Amino acid sequence: MSEVSPARQVAFTVVRATFEEDAFTDSAFRRIADRWGMAGRERAQAMRLSYGAVQRRGTSDALIGRLAERSPSLLDPPVLAALRIGLYELLFSEGGADHATVHQAVELARSAGAAHATGLVNAVLRRAVRERGELAELLRLDEDPAAATVAHSVPRWLAEMWWRELGAEGARSLLRACNRPAERALRVNTLRSSRPELLERLTAAGVDAREAAAPWPLAPPESVLTEGSLAGALELIEAGELTPQSRASAAVIEVLDPQPGEHVFDLCAGPGIKTGQIAARMGDRGEVICVESDAARAEEVAAQARRLGLRSVTVLEANASEVDLGREFDRVLVDAPCSDLGTLASRPDARWRKSPRGIERLAATQGAILGRAARAVKPGGVLVYATCTICRAENEDRVASLLESVGGDAGPGLAVEDLGSLAPALSSVHDRRFLQTLPDRDRTSGFFIARLRRDD
């Protein structure tokens, strides 16, 4: 391995851990990069290679089948990992010399005990170099779901679903955005500082930061956007003055609109990002009851509250579809477990972990949690349902099922409030009373948001 750069060695280990051990790419990268003591540019390069090779697996595997003239499933795992990294570098990355990329991929395979296949790795990658122009033309073809699956590296079922739900052009645009860098946003803890003050401190620390664009509907007043390295912000994050959070995620609490002194119920609260935002919006005056069924994530919620210096937060380890605290809450948030299809740009392996059957199971869970949440809203109170996905079965259909559960449009004493009239540019194509942010159009994560109010 002495001939292979540390960044490629780390990426090779991460890619193998992801696809051979079912490890989550982000956690595997942190563990492996820390073991190597990586920092700065070297760590950034290793992350780019790791995340890119995982994200572009669908494209790479299709090209391996074409260039090697055999199915990727017939190749030994280390050979496949070396080819995925090599093809990502050759076709989607910049800066590396072709001969170095090919040589290092060959050495990765050799170092992992696949010396017998180094000729194959060399031949496939050299052919990719020779046919780069032709391959680039192939990857520009996305006229139908089958072609888009290869061009944009997604499962076939996902391309077909977005084709049905968003139309051909909407699906193509969204699929392209899934492979672009995700928005990098931070939320200011207004209990400790202000956005102008934090922007000055970030700039002084070498962080390229600015206010969220004013024309963006429902832009949270405590959000800032960043570019480049966040190294200068880490101390502020650890001190609880800043929290990484996309604008779309923060907009959920804009819609919830919690007020000082209120009682708020936050179901499915882990890891506590929105919980902290709720309490800060209330000036830490009132009560935020959080429910999280997973013990580790419940501790994350508690840790977030401690980091932000919050006293109004109480964490309950319980099943959100079963907990019953009575009908006494001014506002209830269901930030439901979902397929995360609105965050594919920031979660490189997420697209390979989802399936239509998984969505069916999630929809059933979401319905049960929504039903429980509806019972907790007091007269005049508000229920907000949000997901970080772009999928009608998990979004509009879930609200419709809730309203139909006891008959009629009023649902269980609840009526939909028209969010589309507040932010027309963000309204859902399926029902304009709801909001659906889109990574391609809005340059943020994809969130669905619905608000309902119980009759007085």
Side-chain angles (χ1 to χ4, degrees):
M1 292 286 274
S2 60
E3 294 187 50
V4 181
S5 70
R8 289 185 178 89
Q9 293 180 49
V10 167
F12 184 65
T13 308
V14 171
V15 170
R16 296 196 64 185
T18 300
F19 295 121
E20 296 171 41
E21 302 168 18
D22 199 31
F24 288 96
T25 302
D26 55 354
S27 58
F29 175 78
R30 287 193 298 271
R31 181 181 75 252
I32 295 163
D34 287 348
R35 193 166 68 216
W36 277 76
M38 277 193 166
R41 289 186 176 182
E42 190 174 54
R43 189 182 183 101
Q45 182 189 12
M47 176 181 283
R48 176 176 56 81
L49 291 175
S50 301
Y51 283 31
V54 170
Q55 197 172 56
R56 283 291 184 174
R57 186 196 82 174
T59 303
S60 296
D61 285 8
L63 297 183
I64 289 168
R66 173 191 176 104
L67 299 171
E69 299 178 353
R70 68 186 73 179
S71 170
S73 63
L74 299 177
L75 301 179
D76 292 337
V79 175
L80 193 54
L83 284 171
R84 285 167 173 167
I85 292 170
L87 285 170
Y88 172 75
E89 282 201 81
L90 290 173
L91 300 176
F92 301 107
S93 188
E94 297 179 355
D98 291 346
H99 70 275
T101 295
V102 174
H103 171 71
Q104 298 233 325
V106 168
E107 292 305 310
L108 284 171
R110 189 193 310 279
S111 70
H116 63 282
T118 55
L120 172 68
V121 173
N122 183 68
V124 168
L125 296 183
R126 287 188 179 279
R127 184 177 174 188
V129 172
R130 291 195 305 272
E131 299 179 13
R132 182 184 277 130
E134 185 180 339
L135 297 178
E137 286 297 322
L138 175 67
L139 298 183
R140 278 193 279 270
L141 299 177
D142 58 1
E143 71 280 1
D144 56 41
T149 294
V150 175
H152 304 301
S153 188
V154 294
R156 176 72 171 267
W157 68 266
L158 177 56
E160 290 175 345
M161 184 184 77
W162 280 349
W163 233 262
R164 289 193 308 271
E165 297 189 358
L166 302 174
E169 189 48 48
R172 289 190 196 100
S173 179
L174 183 55
L175 287 167
R176 293 184 197 114
C178 290
N179 293 311
R180 298 188 192 120
E183 171 190 64
R184 302 184 70 177
L186 301 169
R187 190 190 79 240
V188 175
N189 181 358
T190 52
L191 295 174
R192 292 182 171 171
S193 189
S194 66
R195 182 162 68 175
E197 180 185 346
L198 261 297
L199 282 170
E200 288 184 9
R201 294 172 67 184
L202 286 168
T203 300
V207 178
D208 182 2
R210 64 189 187 280
E211 291 186 6
W216 198 82
L218 294 176
E222 63 268 57
S223 289
V224 299
L225 295 174
T226 68
E227 298 286 345
S229 173
L230 282 179
L234 295 180
E235 186 175 333
L236 293 170
I237 292 171
E238 291 173 1
E241 297 195 53
L242 290 168
T243 298
Q245 184 182 22
S246 75
R247 289 177 297 155
S249 172
V252 173
I253 308 307
E254 283 289 300
V255 171
L256 185 67
D257 194 25
Q259 300 297 312
E262 289 186 333
H263 293 277
V264 179
F265 197 16
D266 181 8
L267 286 86
C268 319
I273 303 298
K274 295 184 185 66
T275 303
Q277 188 183 2
I278 292 169
R281 279 298 181 90
M282 295 166 59
D284 208 22
R285 300 192 301 275
E287 186 175 35
V288 185
I289 304 294
C290 307
V291 170
E292 175 55 54
S293 61
D294 182 81
R297 287 173 67 84
E299 175 52 34
E300 284 187 88
V301 179
Q304 283 277 3
R306 292 192 296 268
R307 185 176 65 85
L308 300 178
L310 303 173
R311 298 181 179 180
S312 58
V313 174
T314 301
V315 182
L316 301 179
E317 189 180 327
N319 189 322
S321 64
E322 298 175 357
V323 67
D324 187 355
L325 298 182
R327 184 174 292 182
E328 60 177 75
F329 291 94
D330 299 286
R331 299 178 197 269
V332 176
L333 171 64
V334 177
D335 184 23
C338 68
S339 57
D340 307 317
L341 299 179
T343 62
L344 297 184
S346 60
R347 301 178 183 182
D349 52 333
R351 65 191 70 190
W352 311 121
R353 297 182 180 278
K354 312 304 177 183
S355 69
R357 182 169 295 181
I359 287 176
E360 290 177 8
R361 290 194 295 268
L362 283 166
T365 299
Q366 293 156 354
I369 294 172
L370 258 179
R372 182 62 61 180
R375 299 185 183 96
V377 183
K378 74 179 189 181
V382 166
L383 167 63
V384 168
Y385 175 66
T387 72
C388 60
T389 196
I390 305 165
C391 172
R392 186 168 184 170
E394 299 179 71
N395 295 339
E396 293 85 356
D397 290 356
R398 295 283 58 74
V399 179
S401 293
L402 173 67
L403 295 174
E404 294 169 0
S405 61
V406 294
D409 184 65
L414 294 169
V416 173
E417 296 198 325
D418 186 2
L419 297 177
S421 63
L422 299 177
L426 303 182
S427 59
S428 165
V429 297
H430 305 299
D431 188 327
R432 298 191 66 81
R433 298 174 300 172
F434 307 136
L435 303 184
Q436 176 70 72
T437 62
L438 297 170
D440 56 327
R441 182 192 65 199
D442 306 314
R443 300 297 188 266
T444 187
S445 49
F447 264 80
F448 172 84
I449 313 173
R451 185 170 69 193
L452 302 94
R453 189 177 296 273
R454 183 176 292 285
D455 295 338
D456 288 334

